[in-house]
Amino acid sequence: MHWIPTVDTKLNVWTIAAVFVACVALYNTLRGWWRSTLGKRALFIRNYRKLAPHVRHEYVKELFGEPAWQYKQSVEQFVGDPESEGAGITIAEQEMTVRTWPLGRMAYLTTWCTEDDEVAMYSLTTRSRIFKPAVRVGTEHVVRLGKSHLSSLPHPEAAGLPLWSVGAQRYSYSESHYFGSPGGYRTWVVGVSDAGHPAIAPIDLAANSEECEDPSPLAGYRAVARINSVLIAGGSALRLESILPSAVGPEIGRVMLVESEYGLRARLARLRRKARSAAARLRKLKSTAE
């Protein structure tokens, strides 16, 4: 007769509970580490896709926490008086609250809220070469911030001509796309913000769109410039031209005041920028020599 060991089949409830609690704690620890490090990019994209025009500011704060910057700005809007016949449509100013969140080192999120703290429009600006989220523009177009060129979208004719501004230190470019009912009567403003990455200034054009007499270089700029910002506005009476093109991204005069980082990461970033600048100068010298 073979010897068969005795196996205790009684379940130890306390052992099972301890193992279960340890597994839950380990899962929460790993999830928190993932969301704060490698999975931060996916978390930002997932929360961004939960946004829509007319949501509450408290809803945005639950997704991204407290904003780092907040200020007031006036935006023009079209106003009509239904009680007076033939009065037409006039333009009035509405004060809105602008809030900006730094999404780590990857991006900026900016919201424009009414006096009732309802989000009228919001924008996303990439500031890193590794953060290239896919953003739907209308129902038929998808762009990747920091990768897709402006020419990947049709020429903006229905929602107005492109707008740009080039100053001594600041520059921005924006173009609006409107698709009517299929797009939910929303307006998508894509462009280049000097707070984003990569940012190519429209230096071959005039100082601004009003002074431009020859729009022929515009096609060349749209072919080389990459979209680093997208602003989505709901179907409201706001006159976007009153805040564009700078409103396509965050206010660079505010976000740039944050002190630069120190340490190995910052040094490597500075070395990378210097190497790219040196390579660009060499290419320019080579092209002029030829």
Side-chain angles (χ1 to χ4, degrees):
M1 182 177 182
H2 297 286
W3 177 79
I4 301 177
T6 303
V7 179
D8 187 6
T9 58
K10 296 180 180 179
L11 296 178
N12 191 326
V13 178
W14 295 108
T15 303
I16 295 177
V19 172
F20 177 76
V21 171
C23 291
V24 172
L26 179 62
Y27 169 76
N28 291 333
T29 302
L30 293 177
R31 185 179 63 174
W33 172 83
W34 174 260
R35 288 184 172 182
S36 62
T37 54
L38 302 178
K40 187 181 294 185
R41 173 182 175 274
L43 178 65
F44 290 155
I45 296 174
R46 183 165 62 250
N47 288 343
Y48 170 77
R49 290 175 179 169
K50 295 178 182 179
L51 299 180
H54 311 304
V55 300
R56 299 177 300 110
H57 164 65
E58 293 296 327
Y59 173 74
V60 183
K61 191 167 67 172
E62 290 177 359
L63 294 175
F64 297 97
E66 291 286 346
W69 295 276
Q70 176 176 324
Y71 61 96
K72 300 286 186 177
Q73 184 168 343
S74 297
V75 182
E76 294 181 356
Q77 63 176 347
F78 297 101
V79 179
D81 189 359
E83 297 182 356
S84 20
E85 298 181 358
I89 298 178
T90 59
I91 296 178
E93 290 191 353
Q94 176 184 2
E95 189 177 63
M96 305 190 74
T97 304
V98 186
R99 299 180 175 94
T100 301
W101 287 258
L103 305 183
R105 303 184 184 93
M106 298 183 183
Y108 292 111
L109 173 70
T110 303
T111 61
W112 298 68
C113 298
T114 63
E115 59 181 5
D116 299 326
D117 256 353
E118 177 183 292
V119 177
M121 47 189 172
Y122 59 97
S123 69
L124 182 66
T125 301
T126 179
R127 54 183 296 208
S128 171
R129 61 184 180 86
I130 65 173
F131 188 74
K132 299 178 181 179
V135 179
R136 183 174 296 278
V137 178
T139 57
E140 300 179 357
H141 307 283
V142 176
V143 299
R144 282 195 173 273
L145 298 186
K147 183 177 180 179
S148 299
H149 293 88
L150 290 165
S151 58
S152 62
L153 294 174
H155 194 277
E157 297 178 353
L161 296 176
L163 301 173
W164 66 85
S165 176
V166 182
Q169 295 179 343
R170 307 286 181 263
Y171 57 89
S172 54
Y173 174 94
S174 68
E175 55 184 44
S176 302
H177 297 268
Y178 179 74
F179 303 95
S181 179
Y185 298 104
R186 290 170 291 179
T187 300
W188 283 264
V189 182
V190 300
V192 179
S193 170
D194 50 5
H197 175 83
I200 300 178
I203 55 177
D204 293 335
L205 305 174
N208 54 63
S209 53
E210 296 180 355
E211 299 179 2
C212 181
E213 298 179 355
D214 182 15
S216 56
L218 182 61
Y221 177 74
R222 295 185 77 244
V224 298
R226 299 183 183 182
I227 302 171
N228 65 21
S229 299
V230 58
L231 172 74
I232 301 177
S236 61
L238 295 176
R239 185 174 176 271
L240 298 180
E241 293 83 359
S242 62
I243 56 174
L244 292 176
S246 60
V248 71
E251 176 60 45
I252 183 62
R254 300 175 188 271
V255 299
M256 70 179 296
L257 296 179
V258 177
E259 189 175 3
S260 302
E261 297 181 2
Y262 296 92
L264 180 60
R265 185 186 184 95
R267 293 179 181 177
L268 292 177
R270 286 194 294 269
L271 290 175
R272 184 168 60 248
R273 287 194 296 268
K274 290 181 180 179
R276 290 179 178 175
S277 178
R281 288 196 298 268
L282 289 176
R283 288 195 297 267
K284 186 176 180 179
L285 292 174
K286 184 178 180 180
S287 61
T288 54
E290 293 177 354

